[in-house]
């Protein structure tokens, strides 16, 4: 099973996170399938590769709670629902 989760980067006391698609059997810092975004909690900045995130969500990937909240703020989940109603 694939999950969209945060992968910690940066230095001590200045953490930044990559949003990655990763197999649930791998650890947090393990090998990811694809990098799909970036989140900086200090500057409150987010970059998301929307087509890649939508691709993984359509294939059944489950976002973690934090990634779900980030994508909700970025309105990515609305696009997923829009695509499903448009094509399905």
């Amino acid at each position: 099973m694939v999950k969209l989760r945060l992968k910690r980067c940066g230095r001590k006391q200045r953490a930044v996170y990559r949003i990655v698609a990763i197999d649930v059997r791998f650890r947090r810092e393990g090998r990811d399938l694809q990098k799909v975004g970036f989140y900086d909690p200090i500057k409150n900045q987010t970059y998301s590769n929307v087509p890649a995130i939508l691709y993984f969500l359509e294939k059944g990937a489950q976002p973690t709670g934090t990634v779900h909240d980030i994508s909700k703020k970025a309105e990515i989940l609305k696009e997923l629902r829009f695509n499903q109603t448009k094509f399905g």
Side-chain angles (χ1 to χ4, degrees):
M1 182 174 157
V2 176
K3 280 202 173 209
L4 295 175
R5 74 166 67 145
L6 296 176
K7 187 174 186 179
R8 191 176 195 276
C9 301
R11 61 178 202 239
K12 189 168 47 171
Q13 301 295 321
R14 291 282 303 173
V16 293
Y17 298 92
R18 286 189 181 132
I19 302 171
V20 296
I22 193 166
D23 194 314
V24 294
R25 295 172 288 188
F26 295 135
R27 58 195 173 102
R28 181 187 72 181
E29 306 302 329
R31 185 182 59 189
D32 50 71
L33 300 172
Q34 185 176 356
K35 296 173 185 73
V36 294
F38 177 81
Y39 173 61
D40 186 354
I42 296 169
K43 296 179 182 176
N44 202 16
Q45 291 180 332
T46 305
Y47 165 75
S48 301
N49 183 352
V50 177
I53 292 174
L54 292 177
Y55 169 78
F56 281 108
L57 289 174
E58 288 170 356
K59 296 294 180 187
Q62 296 294 315
T64 59
T66 308
V67 173
H68 182 267
D69 293 342
I70 291 169
S71 58
K72 196 178 193 181
K73 285 181 187 175
E75 298 182 352
I76 294 171
L77 298 178
K78 286 184 182 178
E79 290 187 35
L80 178 66
R81 288 191 195 104
F82 176 73
N83 286 346
Q84 287 176 344
T85 58
K86 186 176 173 183
F87 297 114

